[in-house]
């Protein structure tokens, strides 16, 4: 029989946060050469990455604080947590959209991914 366990809930949450933080770095490509254009593009990607990393890390800290206050995982808490993690896992996609939007300087309207 399946039992709702706080340790399993924390484990899956930490795993998803770790994967999200790792996947975001895959959007950064090394520059082809060391001229100003590619290095500027690399700098943009790094700024967006560090900002996103900080935001997701802060969500992880809040999540840890929230889960430290509970004694037992319930079905409702587990389902709510899964939905929360679903939105957290969209962060690499949003990061990718941000880097794409910052690369398109000539676009007159907002770029939707």
């Amino acid at each position: 029989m399946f039992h709702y366990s706080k340790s399993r809930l924390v484990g899956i949450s930490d795993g998803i946060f770790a994967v999200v933080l790792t996947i975001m770095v895959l959007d950064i490509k090394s520059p082809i050469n060391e001229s100003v254009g590619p290095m500027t593009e690399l700098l943009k990607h790094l700024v967006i990455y560090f900002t996103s990393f900080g935001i997701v890390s802060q969500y992880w800290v809040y999540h840890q604080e929230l889960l430290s206050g509970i004694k037992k995982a319930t079905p409702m808490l587990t389902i709510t947590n899964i939905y929360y993690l679903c939105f957290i896992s969209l962060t690499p996609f949003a990061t990718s959209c941000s880097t794409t939007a910052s690369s398109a300087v000539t676009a007159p309207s907002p770029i939707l991914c």
Side-chain angles (χ1 to χ4, degrees):
M1 188 77 183
F2 178 77
H3 297 284
Y4 291 95
S5 165
K6 179 183 173 183
S7 64
R8 289 179 57 108
L9 186 65
V10 170
I12 189 70
S13 299
D14 287 348
I16 290 175
F17 273 102
V19 168
V20 167
L21 290 169
T22 303
I23 286 177
M24 286 189 308
V25 78
L26 298 177
D27 204 31
I28 301 173
K29 308 289 187 246
S30 60
I32 297 171
N33 57 36
E34 295 180 8
S35 65
V36 174
M39 295 307 276
T40 304
E41 195 64 31
L42 174 64
L43 184 61
K44 286 181 194 176
H45 284 274
L46 286 174
V47 166
I48 291 171
Y49 167 73
F50 286 127
T51 303
S52 298
F53 191 92
I55 291 169
V56 172
S57 297
Q58 191 65 44
Y59 282 137
W60 178 77
V61 169
Y62 293 149
H63 190 261
Q64 292 301 311
E65 290 176 8
L66 176 71
L67 291 181
S68 70
I70 62 168
K71 294 180 178 138
K72 181 181 174 188
T74 63
M76 186 58 134
L77 176 65
T78 303
I79 292 168
T80 304
N81 189 58
I82 293 298
Y83 284 126
Y84 173 74
L85 294 173
C86 174
F87 288 108
I88 293 296
S89 67
L90 289 174
T91 306
F93 173 72
T95 301
S96 177
C97 287
S98 297
T99 56
T100 302
S102 70
S103 298
V105 177
T106 60
S109 63
I111 295 179
L112 301 175
C113 295

